[in-house]
Amino acid sequence: PANVVSVEKKKKSRSPAAPFTTSTLQQEAVRKLGMTTDRTVRTAQQLYEGVDLPGSGATALVTYIRTDSVRVSEDAVAEARKLIASSYGSAYLPQTPHHFKNRSAAQDAHEAIRPSHFDLPPEQVRHALSNEQYRLYKLIWERFLSSQMASAQVDTVTVDVEAGVHVFRAAGETVRFPGFLRLYADIAEEETEPEQNDGKERIPELEKGETLDLAALKPEQKFTQPPPRYTEATLIKAMEEQGI
């Protein structure tokens, strides 16, 4: 028989990520959209230079795309907060705006990459954009808006189960309040690897002292793995960390 020897539950908060810099935009476009870094920069440049919108002519949809700063103007923060409140409700609006800290080497000459017009959501201008332009604009829009949304509230649980002389541990988490995750799922690079996804499973309600029945036993042998090869995203991240 297997017995539950401990159940530990905790509540934690997950804060949204900062709006995009050139580097983080390239990393996310690789991971989420499968776009190469060159294609990402070219497409972002098109969004910055302007696209033809019926009745408006050439319109820039995003701010300057070559930046290493996460600073955002107070006017843009105010516009984002109004949009969040009207679209998602006051529960998704933090009491005070989020502010993000630049890396020490950041130039801060330009703002972070963000939408230029908050009255032009992606769906409204989709007809005027190519598929790549739309997908990248949507990514920038959602990342920026989510950066000013409330933190996600998550319940974590860790369960120790004793079977004979062995103790097995299972860990998982449940999102109690999605906050910014409702708009922008922040999937980390390592979480895309199945073997790295431990601790994210759903665990049923269990109590200390409860006896469990063995439904299945799946032996699995694991070996020490060398560091994975660089992807475009992880290479850009490594270069940024080295100041390149």
Side-chain angles (χ1 to χ4, degrees):
N3 300 304
V4 178
V5 293
S6 72
V7 178
E8 182 181 6
K9 295 182 179 180
K10 293 182 179 179
K11 298 182 186 298
K12 70 176 183 179
S13 179
R14 291 175 61 185
S15 300
F20 283 133
T21 62
T22 307
S23 170
T24 55
L25 175 62
Q26 290 174 315
Q27 293 172 49
E28 284 291 88
V30 170
R31 284 200 287 261
K32 291 196 167 186
L33 306 181
M35 293 175 64
T36 64
T37 53
D38 286 347
R39 178 72 75 178
T40 299
V41 171
R42 280 200 299 270
T43 306
Q45 184 71 25
Q46 293 162 7
L47 295 174
Y48 167 69
E49 290 177 350
V51 296
D52 284 322
L53 301 181
S56 302
T59 304
L61 294 179
V62 302
T63 55
Y64 190 58
I65 57 116
R66 297 188 182 277
T67 177
D68 59 358
S69 173
V70 292
R71 176 179 57 84
V72 177
S73 72
E74 293 300 322
D75 288 345
V77 170
E79 289 292 329
R81 287 176 64 83
K82 284 196 297 185
L83 191 55
I84 291 165
S86 62
S87 300
Y88 301 97
S90 58
Y92 287 85
L93 195 65
Q95 287 188 339
T96 57
H98 293 301
H99 294 284
F100 301 93
K101 188 175 181 181
N102 282 326
R103 291 176 177 268
S104 57
Q107 296 295 314
D108 202 42
H110 301 279
E111 284 187 70
I113 301 171
R114 63 167 177 83
S116 298
H117 302 280
F118 292 96
D119 58 344
L120 295 175
E123 289 300 329
Q124 185 174 316
V125 296
R126 184 172 190 171
H127 65 282
L129 304 179
S130 69
N131 186 49
E132 283 189 340
Q133 289 173 336
Y134 166 73
R135 293 170 71 211
L136 194 64
Y137 180 48
K138 186 171 184 286
L139 189 71
I140 293 169
W141 177 280
E142 292 178 350
R143 173 71 166 239
F144 175 70
L145 213 59
S146 72
S147 74
Q148 289 301 325
M149 293 176 74
S151 298
Q153 304 302 318
V154 179
D155 291 332
T156 64
V157 58
T158 303
V159 178
D160 287 346
V161 178
E162 188 177 64
V165 297
H166 301 288
V167 176
F168 300 92
R169 172 166 291 180
E173 67 179 32
T174 302
V175 176
R176 183 160 36 93
F177 172 69
F180 75 95
L181 293 175
R182 179 170 171 183
L183 181 63
Y184 192 91
D186 58 340
I187 302 171
E189 171 74 9
E190 63 270 14
E191 290 176 6
T192 62
E193 300 294 334
E195 65 270 16
Q196 297 289 332
N197 204 28
D198 297 336
K200 305 298 181 185
E201 303 297 327
R202 291 293 300 272
I203 293 179
E205 285 294 326
L206 297 172
E207 299 292 336
K208 183 178 178 180
E210 188 174 345
T211 299
L212 307 178
D213 293 326
L214 180 64
L217 183 63
K218 298 179 181 178
E220 184 177 345
Q221 186 174 11
K222 288 194 174 184
F223 299 93
T224 302
Q225 297 292 320
R229 293 175 183 267
Y230 281 117
T231 64
E232 274 197 278
T234 57
L235 182 59
I236 293 168
K237 183 178 181 181
M239 292 172 65
E240 183 180 37
E241 289 171 350
Q242 295 296 320
I244 300 173

